[in-house]
Amino acid sequence: MLKDITLGQFYPAESKIHALDPRVKLVGTLLYVVSLFLFHNLAGFLLATAFLFFLIHMSKVPVSYILRGLKAIFILMVITAIFNVLFTPGTTIVHVWKIRITWEGVRAAVFMFIRLTYLVMGTSLMTLTTTPTRLTDGMESLMAPLEKIHAPVHEVAMMMSIALRFIPLLVDETDKIMKAQMARGADFESGNFWRRAKSMVPILVPLFVSAFRRAGDLALAMEARCYQGGEGRTKMKPLVYGRNDGKAYAVLWIYFAAMILVRIFLNLPHVPLLGH
Amino acid sequence: MSITLKNVSYRYSTGTAEEIEALKNITLTIEDGQFIGLAGHTGSGKSTLIQHLNGLLRPTEGQVLHNGQDIFEKGFDLRTYRTKVGLVFQYPEYQLFETTVLEDACFGPLNQGKTKEEAREMAKRALRSVSVPEELFERSPFELSGGQQRRVAIAGVLAMEPEVLVLDEPTAGLDPCGRTEILDLVKSLQEERKITVVLVSHSMEDIADYVQRLVVMKEGEVFLDDEPKKVFSHFEELEEIGLSAPQVTYLMQDLSAQGFGVPTDCITVEEAKEAILKAVGKC
Amino acid sequence: MGIIKTNHVSYDYVRVNDEGVEEEKERALEDVSIDVYPGSFVAILGANGSGKSTLARHLNALLAPSEGTVWVDGMDTSKEENVFPVRREAGMVFQNPDNQIIAGIVEEDVAFGPENIGVPTKDIWKRVEEALEKTGMAAYRMHSPNRLSGGQKQRVAIAGTLAMHPKCIILDEPTAMLDPGGRREVIETVAELNEKEGVTVVLITHYMEEVVYADHVFVMQDGKLAMEGPPREIFSKVEELQKYKLGVPQITLLAHELRKSGLDIPEGILSEEELAEAICRLR
């Protein structure tokens, strides 16, 4: 059951998207997410859709992989859609008892549904095409200006990469501890909520003890290898922008500009945004 | 009680590209009261096999029979069964969690539905049987030395008074002295309480010194299953699968090849010593 | 003077309470003086709790002695400014293969040390390549450490220290958690580095079989040096070794037993071939 958790779900393939600098992909994802909340008509929707599927096609990642990410937040999406349908004021279509469904509500719900779907697909595309190490490198580099105000950017990035390395180990360990306690007759399945919560103690205590022991060992090993923070550190794989990265930035900004233009000039039938 | 695996196969990650057949059509009976060694290269399926013995894993195909009854049949009390087949995992001290040594050893008996008093008695008996000194009973298990923690963890399984004891490399990471201590203890439990023991080990010397029957696994199948002496006579085949025979076996082979009249199936120092003295005396 | 030298080193583990007052003091090392010559292979043998790991941590400035002095390549390790230069000269490999690999890809982990000491990018690549080549791990450079065997992980850890171009490598029970195949793999890698690259090796272990390659062996007991000498000399003192709770290999034990029984067998037998030869000579 624990094996189902996927983290750092990199999809290995050789594509132009995979080869892009992680900073481009991070900035690109951010711009794309913002652009999703810019459109409120068919033209914008079409543009955002075309752009997304163009990128997916370039990345060589099967669409089914990208859709997997949706499963986790499907319920959230449905709830958001229901709220939009029920609580958006406007022209009533159906009116049953106290429930009023408006034309604007349905429209807002559909748009919100699409936005969330694309948001998840866009971010999945980034994580699927970028190794966790490159991703943390990218974040560290983009956040570097924050070091001027003494934000521990390097340390946070280092913590993230160590977490990525140790999570699979701890997942395995949890599995082992669970089995060992089951071999001592432990029961994790029956009983009410309180009993089940209590039955987690024999798993959680050893897990924490082990995590701390590993942390101690690791700190020692890092010290022994001369680790002393980010200062004076060089990199085996420093981030360097290539020619394609420049092109990618250009494409991104053109797309973003187009989305803004569509919003300003093709603003024919007014559609209320969430909560308006 | 006997445990029988009948045509057991087990596959990990079924239905994916990474599907691995960890066990292939294994038929094996663990007889009552035996001291059995289980050897095999890492990845040969040993760990998967022992997790079938107490029903932690369910075979993809085949059956696990306890006194002839399928343990995965509807209505079979698997939880009670698990406490009868005590499984000690590798590095068992990593599963300690209670605030005191005694309470930790009570965990199993309490899960069996014993009263607090009964559980404490069982726990105390188990802790004494692995020679954990009385004054440590109320200490936190996390304050003990590695060797002591290991014994407390084994007591945690013994406290359930299992009829079969399965140990997955109980000596891993211990120093030689700690290793002998644990193995002697297991041996005495097997002899005094007449429980069945299955010992997974990488050390052929340990196996030679302790077990009556040796099962060797290879790529998910039972490769050899016989008395240790007979198994070690196949030392060339053992080497092919990344194992070896005890050092003295090689010596005896060597001596015999050079025309010495010594038996080649000695596996312990004691046996070898006597055989060599006899042969030299004759010469 | 050797590349590593300790002069009457003692070390106390001190436990302080919340107010910073000394609560408990435990002497872990007592008057230890060792001298390691450049290019040599030195083994430190001892049971758990003998102080061998504490000693190891002094050799690359993870601990500073309570009394006495440790020099690495002429640098006093207790001086603050020497800490990082010492760690660069004396690389360290630890026991648990999982808890010393930092990165998620083999080559990036090997690069961790050089990155820390500010080696330019181009040179890092060269060093990583060399280090992986020397430890036989080049084929795995793009792998995730989680998919490697224990022995392979330890070879990655060795490569990680090699990439810092140290003069010596200290291995603190690198094989305690490995299977026999993994143990052989690691020890052979280390022996080869010592022989071909001239790297000074300090191997800390409780397996006597592993010290056969060493030029010089130190045996520790209760924080003190108990024995010292070349392997052959050490192996000839079987009774003393057993007193120090060390597991004497079958062959050494057998040779000793045969000698005791009156056979004319030389002392300090290291291998099965040697013993076979000695016995054949008796004819």
Side-chain angles (χ1 to χ4, degrees):
Chain A
M1 115 184 88
L2 289 160
K3 297 258 153 72
D4 299 338
I5 305 169
T6 49
L7 280 149
Q9 39 173 358
F10 180 64
Y11 180 90
E14 274 179 39
S15 79
K16 288 214 167 105
I17 304 282
H18 281 78
L20 284 180
D21 190 286
R23 289 168 294 182
V24 179
K25 285 187 265 190
L26 280 162
V27 171
T29 310
L30 192 71
L31 283 182
Y32 186 71
V33 170
V34 172
S35 82
L36 288 178
F37 289 88
L38 280 176
F39 77 75
H40 52 180
N41 59 21
L42 197 63
F45 160 70
L46 286 176
L47 189 52
T49 309
F51 190 61
L52 181 63
F53 281 89
F54 164 69
L55 292 181
I56 293 174
H57 176 74
M58 292 253 307
S59 75
K60 298 183 187 166
V61 179
V63 180
S64 65
Y65 261 84
I66 293 170
L67 293 176
R68 267 187 208 174
L70 288 174
K71 266 197 266 172
I73 66 149
F74 189 74
I75 294 174
L76 179 81
M77 288 166 61
V78 171
I79 293 172
T80 317
I82 292 173
F83 267 77
N84 271 298
V85 169
L86 296 183
F87 301 115
T88 313
T91 330
T92 308
I93 332 171
V94 190
H95 189 172
V96 187
W97 188 49
K98 279 186 182 170
I99 297 165
R100 202 190 288 268
I101 292 174
T102 62
W103 165 241
E104 284 81 0
V106 172
R107 205 181 152 118
V110 169
F111 270 56
M112 194 41 78
F113 197 85
I114 292 168
R115 281 191 183 110
L116 286 174
T117 307
Y118 283 13
L119 188 150
V120 172
M121 287 173 76
T123 41
S124 301
L125 184 65
M126 172 184 71
T127 52
L128 283 165
T129 57
T130 319
T131 60
T133 340
R134 298 259 295 163
L135 210 57
T136 44
D137 278 354
M139 281 189 222
E140 185 180 351
S141 162
L142 285 174
M143 309 273 226
L146 293 178
E147 282 198 323
K148 292 216 174 70
I149 56 160
H150 301 291
V153 175
H154 164 77
E155 284 71 16
V156 170
M158 181 56 85
M159 272 159 57
M160 278 171 57
S161 59
I162 288 175
L164 284 168
R165 149 109 181 85
F166 277 85
I167 283 168
L169 279 177
L170 291 175
V171 169
D172 262 5
E173 192 143 337
T174 313
D175 203 40
K176 246 188 247 159
I177 295 170
M178 265 179 92
K179 278 186 176 159
Q181 306 300 28
M182 275 162 81
R184 289 165 79 188
D187 180 9
F188 304 117
E189 269 116 37
S190 57
N192 57 25
F193 176 77
W194 175 239
R195 271 197 58 171
R196 275 202 221 182
K198 240 178 102 182
S199 73
M200 288 291 132
V201 172
I203 300 173
L204 293 178
V205 172
L207 194 62
F208 276 117
V209 171
S210 148
F212 280 115
R213 187 183 46 242
R214 284 184 193 280
D217 282 2
L218 192 69
L220 204 63
M222 288 170 75
E223 252 189 84
R225 283 161 82 181
C226 293
Y227 181 69
Q228 39 192 324
E231 225 171 294
R233 215 169 172 265
T234 47
K235 291 207 163 229
M236 182 193 194
K237 298 171 181 170
L239 294 176
V240 185
Y241 281 125
R243 220 198 307 155
N244 278 336
D245 296 313
K247 284 189 206 157
Y249 269 132
V251 171
L252 265 173
W253 285 109
I254 290 169
Y255 161 77
F256 195 66
M259 285 299 278
I260 293 174
L261 292 177
V262 166
R263 181 180 167 95
I264 297 171
F265 295 108
L266 291 174
N267 196 9
L268 298 171
H270 179 73
V271 175
L273 286 164
L274 178 67
H276 282 233
Chain B
M1 78 186 207
S2 75
I3 307 174
T4 302
L5 302 187
K6 202 170 151 195
N7 304 105
V8 167
S9 295
Y10 185 79
R11 282 185 287 272
Y12 281 107
S13 328
T14 40
T16 68
E18 288 176 35
E19 183 173 310
I20 299 165
E21 195 167 18
L23 295 180
K24 298 172 194 160
N25 196 21
I26 287 198
T27 299
L28 187 74
T29 299
I30 312 282
E31 305 284 2
D32 214 3
Q34 276 186 331
F35 196 142
I36 302 174
L38 182 60
H41 194 253
T42 310
S44 62
K46 290 173 301 187
S47 295
T48 314
L49 179 82
I50 58 171
Q51 290 180 44
H52 279 83
L53 296 180
N54 74 343
L56 277 175
L57 290 178
R58 194 192 180 116
T60 318
E61 281 154 41
Q63 292 174 305
V64 181
L65 305 172
H66 166 235
N67 293 338
Q69 200 191 354
D70 189 335
I71 66 164
F72 288 105
E73 228 170 54
K74 264 204 186 122
F76 187 89
D77 186 358
L78 201 55
R79 259 186 73 202
T80 309
Y81 172 72
R82 277 191 192 133
T83 63
K84 283 193 210 161
V85 184
L87 175 52
V88 178
F89 277 88
Q90 248 185 68
Y91 300 99
E93 61 275 24
Y94 291 180
Q95 287 110 46
L96 298 172
F97 69 98
E98 273 290 4
T99 46
T100 70
V101 165
L102 186 61
E103 272 176 77
D104 204 280
C106 285
F107 182 65
L110 287 175
N111 285 329
Q112 284 175 300
K114 307 280 179 201
T115 65
K116 266 207 166 137
E117 285 70 43
E118 280 176 314
R120 283 175 78 86
E121 278 317 304
M122 291 167 88
K124 279 183 186 165
R125 272 203 297 276
L127 286 166
R128 285 189 200 114
S129 76
V130 296
S131 14
V132 172
E134 211 97 358
E135 64 263 28
L136 295 184
F137 285 11
E138 295 303 323
R139 290 268 289 274
S140 158
F142 301 108
E143 287 173 11
L144 309 183
S145 75
Q148 286 170 332
Q149 285 189 348
R150 174 86 38 109
R151 276 182 288 154
V152 170
I154 293 177
V157 172
L158 286 176
M160 303 185 294
E161 296 177 355
E163 293 163 45
V164 179
L165 185 62
V166 185
L167 302 117
D168 191 358
E169 290 190 52
T171 60
L174 296 181
D175 64 14
C177 184
R179 290 208 293 271
T180 332
E181 245 176 60
I182 295 279
L183 291 173
D184 283 347
L185 190 124
V186 172
K187 178 84 191 158
S188 69
L189 284 171
Q190 189 257 338
E191 281 170 355
E192 284 160 26
R193 294 208 201 158
K194 307 272 175 272
I195 57 177
T196 312
V197 173
V198 179
L199 173 75
V200 178
S201 176
H202 280 308
S203 164
M204 295 304 158
E205 282 81 9
D206 286 351
I207 283 180
D209 282 342
Y210 291 93
V211 309
Q212 301 163 335
R213 172 182 167 198
L214 174 57
V215 178
V216 179
M217 306 259 312
K218 176 196 175 187
E219 291 164 15
E221 286 172 290
V222 173
F223 180 55
L224 294 165
D225 178 0
D226 214 326
E227 283 171 55
K229 264 183 200 297
K230 294 204 176 124
V231 170
F232 288 134
S233 69
H234 298 270
F235 62 94
E236 277 155 336
E237 284 144 281
L238 287 174
E239 270 164 37
E240 271 166 36
I241 58 170
L243 299 175
S244 59
Q247 282 186 325
V248 296
T249 308
Y250 293 98
L251 177 76
M252 300 315 262
Q253 290 285 349
D254 217 359
L255 288 176
S256 152
Q258 301 199 27
F260 249 95
V262 288
T264 53
D265 64 349
C266 294
I267 56 176
T268 65
V269 171
E270 212 34 49
E271 284 172 359
K273 178 184 157 190
E274 255 147 55
I276 291 171
L277 286 177
K278 213 165 123 192
V280 173
K282 268 186 195 158
C283 285
Chain C
M1 187 161 90
I3 188 152
I4 293 176
K5 189 173 162 63
T6 72
N7 191 22
H8 300 289
V9 165
S10 296
Y11 183 78
D12 299 313
Y13 277 107
V14 180
R15 220 166 54 182
V16 287
N17 63 11
D18 297 338
E19 282 102 52
V21 183
E22 201 176 295
E23 211 173 48
E24 216 183 299
K25 209 166 156 180
E26 205 185 303
R27 184 138 276 209
L29 286 182
E30 170 88 53
D31 194 25
V32 175
S33 300
I34 66 168
D35 206 342
V36 178
Y37 291 98
S40 64
F41 187 146
V42 164
I44 301 178
L45 262 174
N48 287 353
S50 62
K52 57 188 193 307
S53 287
T54 309
L55 179 61
R57 280 171 198 188
H58 278 80
L59 306 185
N60 79 339
L62 287 171
L63 291 177
S66 307
E67 288 161 38
T69 325
V70 178
W71 288 281
V72 172
D73 204 17
M75 295 177 280
D76 180 346
T77 62
S78 58
K79 294 220 170 80
E80 190 62 40
E81 71 269 22
N82 285 342
V83 166
F84 286 103
V86 164
R87 287 185 189 157
R88 208 190 283 204
E89 294 305 341
M92 184 125 176
V93 176
F94 296 87
Q95 185 186 90
N96 190 325
D98 280 323
N99 298 355
Q100 56 182 321
I101 294 182
I102 290 118
I105 298 174
V106 167
E107 62 171 14
E108 287 175 12
D109 187 74
V110 177
F112 182 76
E115 286 179 339
N116 289 336
I117 55 176
V119 175
T121 299
K122 228 178 85 194
D123 295 338
I124 295 180
W125 282 86
K126 231 166 60 194
R127 284 180 179 216
V128 168
E129 216 150 289
E130 277 170 14
L132 286 171
E133 206 64 60
K134 284 176 191 166
T135 48
M137 289 300 291
Y140 300 91
R141 64 182 296 165
M142 296 306 286
H143 283 232
S144 152
N146 294 335
R147 298 248 165 146
L148 301 181
S149 72
Q152 289 171 332
K153 283 182 208 167
Q154 288 301 58
R155 275 151 71 198
V156 172
I158 295 171
T161 61
L162 271 188
M164 295 175 75
H165 290 177
K167 290 200 176 125
C168 40
I169 298 183
I170 297 144
L171 302 107
D172 186 5
E173 295 194 47
T175 58
M177 296 178 79
L178 306 182
D179 63 18
R183 274 165 54 192
R184 211 173 311 130
E185 206 177 303
V186 169
I187 297 300
E188 275 166 13
T189 307
V190 171
E192 198 181 304
L193 285 175
N194 172 256
E195 200 175 309
K196 287 199 185 148
E197 310 291 329
V199 183
T200 311
V201 171
V202 179
L203 172 70
I204 286 119
T205 183
H206 53 227
Y207 289 110
M208 270 190 72
E209 296 90 321
E210 292 174 359
V211 311
V212 175
Y213 294 100
D215 306 313
H216 200 77
V217 182
F218 294 97
V219 179
M220 293 199 61
Q221 158 85 343
D222 291 334
K224 292 179 208 125
L225 273 188
M227 285 164 89
E228 162 178 8
R232 206 169 285 283
E233 201 181 304
I234 299 286
F235 273 61
S236 68
K237 296 172 184 158
V238 171
E239 267 142 29
E240 211 175 327
L241 288 165
Q242 283 174 332
K243 201 172 82 201
Y244 301 135
K245 300 181 180 173
L246 290 166
V248 178
Q250 269 195 338
I251 288 298
T252 314
L253 196 60
L254 179 61
H256 175 73
E257 291 287 325
L258 291 173
R259 242 179 87 81
K260 260 196 348 199
S261 306
L263 293 195
D264 181 23
I265 287 175
E267 284 190 46
I269 294 278
L270 292 179
S271 70
E272 176 260 309
E273 290 83 5
E274 279 178 25
L275 183 57
E277 228 174 84
I279 293 173
C280 284
R281 247 185 267 126
L282 295 174
R283 246 194 313 206

